[in-house]
Amino acid sequence: GRTETVTDPKTGQQYTRILESLAVAEATGGTPLARVLQEEGRRFGRHTTLIVVTPSTDAEWTLSLHQLLRQGTRASAVLLDPESFAGAGERPQGAPESASLPIDELLAGNVLTYVIPCRSDIGLMLGPGGLVGDSAPERQKAAAG
């Protein structure tokens, strides 16, 4: 069966639920991320901001994400650096032995992209200092506006 979690924050009260889900989340699902984005895509529209958190190096999911962007969905990607986790003996489940994160594909679609190395300060990494790409601050302003 499917084990991914989709949370729809319709009220501010669900913010705590989202944080609780993220705190205990594990990458145990067998459904490819590209397929999850395709199947759940009908739920997303112009007033949706999607945050994809993944160690996946498979660029196929970025194609599904770009389709959602064309529908008006806003998106950010938080990429867990699988090589840094492997060096710490904590490779995320489903992460390949060695491959590149699909950073170029995401930046080509103007997706705000963050790369999180193992044991880094996630608060700092999800700020402007963690953004990837030369024009990251300009993209962030455009996405916020």
Side-chain angles (χ1 to χ4, degrees):
R2 292 172 58 165
T3 58
E4 66 272 354
T5 300
V6 177
T7 307
D8 188 0
K10 291 190 177 173
T11 67
Q13 297 170 344
Q14 290 189 350
Y15 181 72
T16 301
R17 274 194 188 154
I18 292 169
L19 293 178
E20 289 171 352
S21 294
L22 287 172
V24 297
E26 293 182 26
T28 57
T31 307
L33 180 54
R35 191 162 121 210
V36 171
L37 292 173
Q38 290 166 359
E39 291 176 0
E40 297 296 332
R42 67 185 175 279
R43 297 168 42 108
F44 309 135
R46 289 180 356 145
H47 302 290
T48 303
T49 299
L50 180 64
I51 302 172
V52 179
V53 181
T54 184
S56 177
T57 58
D58 180 5
E60 186 175 337
W61 70 267
T62 65
L63 299 174
S64 298
L65 183 62
H66 288 303
Q67 178 60 38
L68 295 173
L69 295 173
R70 285 190 289 277
Q71 295 172 7
T73 301
R74 293 181 180 189
S76 294
V78 178
L79 305 177
L80 305 177
D81 180 11
E83 289 188 20
S84 69
F85 281 84
E90 302 177 12
R91 179 178 298 284
Q93 183 172 341
E97 287 302 316
S98 87
S100 314
L101 291 167
I103 294 170
D104 291 340
E105 292 85 346
L106 293 164
L107 295 179
N110 291 324
V111 175
L112 289 172
T113 303
Y114 302 83
V115 175
I116 310 295
C118 183
R119 298 190 179 146
S120 62
D121 182 330
I122 196 163
L124 291 175
M125 296 308 296
L126 291 177
L131 281 167
V132 177
D134 293 335
S135 61
E138 289 79 18
R139 280 199 313 276
Q140 187 172 28
K141 285 180 189 174

